[in-house]
Amino acid sequence: MLLANLTNPSLVDDAHLLRGGSLDSLLAAIFTASATERPSEGRVSEAPATLEHLVSALCHVASTDSGRGELLRHARALPLLQALVALLSPGHPLLPAAAAPGQLSVAEITAVRRSLGYLPSKEFFLFGTPTKHSPSPAIHNAGFEANGCGHTYGTVETDEVSVALEAIRKPSFGGGSITIPLKEALLPHADELSEAATVIGAINTLTRAADGRLLADNTDWVGIRNLLAAGLRQRHGGAAPAELCALVLGAGGTARAACHALRQLGAAQLYVFNRTREKAEALGAAFDAVPLSGDLDAAVGGLPQLHLLVSCIPGSAGVAPSDALLRRHSPVVLDAAYRPRDTPLLAAARRAGCTAFEGVEMLAEQAYAQCETWTGLPAPKRAILKALTEKLRRDDFGAVPSFDTFLSAP
């Protein structure tokens, strides 16, 4: 019925939209409008009236002899017309069957828009080292595609600020992720810091604003907060401990993000441990936390309680509390490292029956926040996790139970 309405000249009165323009400009207007009006994941939305008017104008072209001739001369207009009709009642991936024979999916329509250059396209990168085996390109390219963006995401393997700035200063630069050792080094080059980035003093997200300003943020703390909050719900139900006690291992940029996340969760007692006393004291002073150093078990053994434990040190460092200490307190544990995957801390936490989260789960959580910043849309978690699990499978990383549970849900 929709196709009949769109191709019925008696129902179309939008020829005025073509005055002073060409078929090329009309097609560009249609696909520019459609790029900002997409069905969100999990539901089917109605197309906007402005887009409907533009499509009607295209159909008005097709209703005249001269217009049909022009359409035939534009070979690309024929698949576009099919895509446009489908866009007004798209076949959504969650539907059990196509709404009509030959119905195009939103993903297929997006592919048409991208191939014709009607989607805005910016370059995004992961800056730092090592980046060769990072899952971030798989994560963000999947997020861009699912959210209907023409952006691309690659890597810039470097520990030099000057090399990163070369890519950042290109007109095509849209944003990027920052990993070690640049999380603090690139911070002074941003034009504006988010509140979180200011408090944490380290960044992991850059965004080029429409006015050209370089915006810096930190989403590591969001990933940490989300996982720990989920762990507390799992461990304590709706009644979290009144006096949350938390411990952070490490003193770098991720440790600072962890301290911020724990304060946002309401941790009343916060301890920071580092083998170098001066580093522990500096971090403690920044977040009003108690600095600890020396032997880990001796340092934390006297704590009357411990609800949350976040490790922000390399997994190969081999630092972990004893099984006995973990069994006594049974904290929710997050190890931010994900290579190697089976860190001594995670192994000890699982032996002690603790609720434990892997670094790759934190990677996904913070990436959702980045995707929403860069696309302006809710993160397509299913598409992102599907791409991430495929990347991990290719790397022989092994299955991540929480990802499999999410992807198997209806």
Side-chain angles (χ1 to χ4, degrees):
M1 183 175 67
L2 177 60
L3 179 59
N5 287 343
L6 285 174
T7 54
N8 185 344
S10 67
L11 299 179
V12 176
D13 186 24
D14 292 291
H16 63 282
L17 291 171
L18 295 177
R19 293 192 187 114
S22 65
L23 180 57
D24 281 334
S25 61
L26 175 60
L27 293 173
I30 290 170
F31 280 86
T32 299
S34 65
T36 60
E37 299 287 349
R38 292 175 298 273
S40 298
E41 184 184 37
R43 69 179 188 274
V44 176
S45 305
E46 294 181 359
T50 53
L51 178 57
E52 208 165 342
H53 291 159
L54 290 165
V55 174
S56 297
L58 180 60
C59 294
H60 182 86
V61 173
S63 70
T64 66
D65 291 339
S66 60
R68 279 193 296 274
E70 188 176 358
L71 285 175
L72 289 173
R73 286 192 295 274
H74 284 71
R76 69 181 185 180
L78 299 179
L80 282 176
L81 184 57
Q82 181 187 10
L84 289 168
V85 172
L87 186 60
L88 295 178
S89 55
H92 194 274
L94 296 182
L95 292 175
Q103 193 86 63
L104 295 182
S105 69
V106 173
E108 290 169 324
I109 298 165
T110 298
V112 173
R113 292 206 305 265
R114 182 183 294 108
S115 66
L116 292 170
Y118 289 121
L119 287 181
S121 179
K122 292 290 185 179
E123 291 182 307
F124 292 75
F125 300 98
L126 170 63
F127 297 101
T129 187
T131 63
K132 183 178 180 180
H133 300 292
S134 172
S136 292
I139 288 172
H140 289 296
N141 283 318
F144 289 151
E145 181 176 1
N147 274 355
C149 300
H151 307 317
T152 60
Y153 187 104
T155 63
V156 175
E157 178 91 23
T158 184
D159 58 2
E160 297 288 338
V161 170
S162 60
V163 175
L165 290 177
E166 286 181 16
I168 291 169
R169 289 168 178 159
K170 290 180 179 179
S172 59
F173 179 74
S177 309
I178 314 299
T179 187
I180 56 173
L182 300 176
K183 288 189 172 186
E184 296 172 57
L186 280 173
L187 187 150
H189 298 276
D191 297 312
E192 183 178 322
L193 301 181
S194 68
E195 180 181 354
T198 301
V199 172
I200 294 168
I203 61 176
N204 79 327
T205 307
L206 290 174
T207 306
R208 178 71 69 192
D211 61 6
R213 289 177 303 139
L214 186 62
L215 311 181
D217 196 4
N218 189 305
T219 63
D220 281 337
W221 81 272
V222 177
I224 295 169
R225 179 202 61 189
N226 291 352
L227 291 175
L228 294 180
L232 286 173
R233 288 193 299 271
Q234 181 179 336
R235 202 75 181 170
H236 303 282
E243 292 287 322
L244 275 178
C245 179
L247 170 65
V248 175
L249 308 181
T254 306
R256 297 179 68 87
C259 288
H260 180 65
L262 289 163
R263 286 304 191 197
Q264 295 301 306
L265 280 172
Q269 303 170 55
L270 180 58
Y271 298 86
V272 293
F273 174 87
N274 194 272
R275 286 175 171 172
T276 304
R277 180 71 185 181
E278 292 75 16
K279 291 182 178 180
E281 289 177 345
L283 182 58
F287 291 92
D288 193 23
V290 178
L292 303 172
S293 60
D295 179 77
L296 179 57
D297 266 21
V300 303
L303 297 180
Q305 57 186 357
L306 181 61
H307 304 110
L308 300 167
L309 170 57
V310 184
S311 175
C312 304
I313 58 180
S316 57
V319 177
S322 66
D323 289 14
L325 190 147
L326 291 172
R327 279 194 295 268
R328 176 155 60 92
H329 293 299
S330 192
V332 175
V333 174
L334 166 60
D335 196 330
Y338 66 92
R339 293 188 189 278
R341 180 183 184 183
D342 295 318
T343 65
L345 174 59
L346 286 178
R350 287 164 179 154
R351 286 195 303 267
C354 300
T355 298
F357 294 100
E358 302 182 45
V360 72
E361 293 173 284
M362 174 187 156
L363 177 69
E365 286 289 336
Q366 65 82 28
Y368 298 152
Q370 289 180 323
C371 181
E372 292 179 1
T373 295
W374 293 333
T375 68
L377 294 168
K381 294 183 179 181
R382 186 173 296 275
I384 286 174
L385 284 187
K386 183 178 179 182
L388 176 54
T389 54
E390 289 174 354
K391 164 65 175 171
L392 296 176
R393 176 181 52 78
R394 291 194 300 270
D395 291 348
D396 294 324
F397 188 84
V400 180
S402 65
F403 294 172
D404 291 342
T405 298
F406 183 90
L407 291 172
S408 64

